[in-house]
Amino acid sequence: MAEANVPKELLYTEEHEWVEKTGDDEIKVGITDYAQGELSDVVFVELPDVGASFSRMEAFGTIEAVKAVSELYSPAAGEVTEVNDKLADDPAAVNRDPYGDGWMIKLKLQDPSELDSLLSPEGYSELIAD
Amino acid sequence: MAVDVVLAETVRETGQPVLRLYRWWPPCISLGRNQPAKGQYDDAEAKRRGIDFVRRPTGGRAVYHHHEVTYAVAVGDRQLGGPRRTYEAIHRALLAGLRLLGASTEIVDPRVALRPSTVPCFQEIDGGAIVAGRRKLVGSAQLRERGVLLQHGSILLTGDQSPTTELLKVAWKSDERDRPAALDELLDFLPTWGELVNGLLSGFERLLDVEFVQSRLDDAEKGRMMRHSRHFSDPGWTWRL
């Protein structure tokens, strides 16, 4: 597999979600290039409704690829403010463009300091190098 | 289903991988976690034939569980190198076991993926499936949850999976070329349950360099199994999509 892309401007979870800070207390979430490569062809993404709340590392949805279902974990506690509905018809966007069209949810954070415990790009690169 | 989930929970606590081999009674069609099914099956006809339905926690498509061996493996999600490598490693172990039993089988190129749909599991060949010629013998599905991978699948002994198409309300055009394989056609004999278990265990032991210890669910696991059984027997879950 080609080396996975780990953008320097994002944060990461150990469960392979990426996090983009889009405001003081809002983030955008998806799964990493490494994760989509490991899963291979994504065929189904199940996301929550806008308004749903999740605690830190609680499952917010699932993704299915080649008959493998994986849970998706909320990087921090918060409320869903937007969902990428386009993934219902085009789940392959997660493979094609994991950091762009393949984004999954936007979260309004309960406590923005929870982001401090996420992995840096360097930390995540080390994790997937193991 | 409930026992498989309990085994995955136990692996999360102990780190000790588990293999389970089992059969179903009454016969049952298991649905993939995300496959559409609501209103698509003839419930009355299924009842008349004594066939149950359950929705799996894992992906994939419908499987008819009757005259088959179901296997379930629960293992740490990185113990065998991630979901895709785990899928391949388990299928290689099953392939070794089937070959020990004398079945001429092979693994399909893993790069072919299928969307969840009402097309039954054994009706189309997906990447990584175990086949005899161009006919599918083993179909598997996976769940990755909180550090543990649960993979289970079905090894066909005899029969043709026809209830998965006959019970569909939509018109289904059967094609003889799509018929799955079955072990009784590949061997000169149908192995006993003991022979099957020994063959499959030997495949895992040889390929994954493991040694099996027989065990049963303890009281705490049985309690969790009852709780999960309520979930899996809830029609709201079975017919959620």
Side-chain angles (χ1 to χ4, degrees), chain A residues 15 46 64 67 69 71 73, chain B residues 60 140 142 144 146 240:
Chain A
E15 296 292 338
E46 185 172 39
E64 179 168 344
K67 304 195 298 180
V69 171
E71 292 205 315
Y73 298 104
Chain B
S140 301
Q142 226 182 37
R144 175 176 164 270
R146 301 191 183 282
R240 75 189 191 107

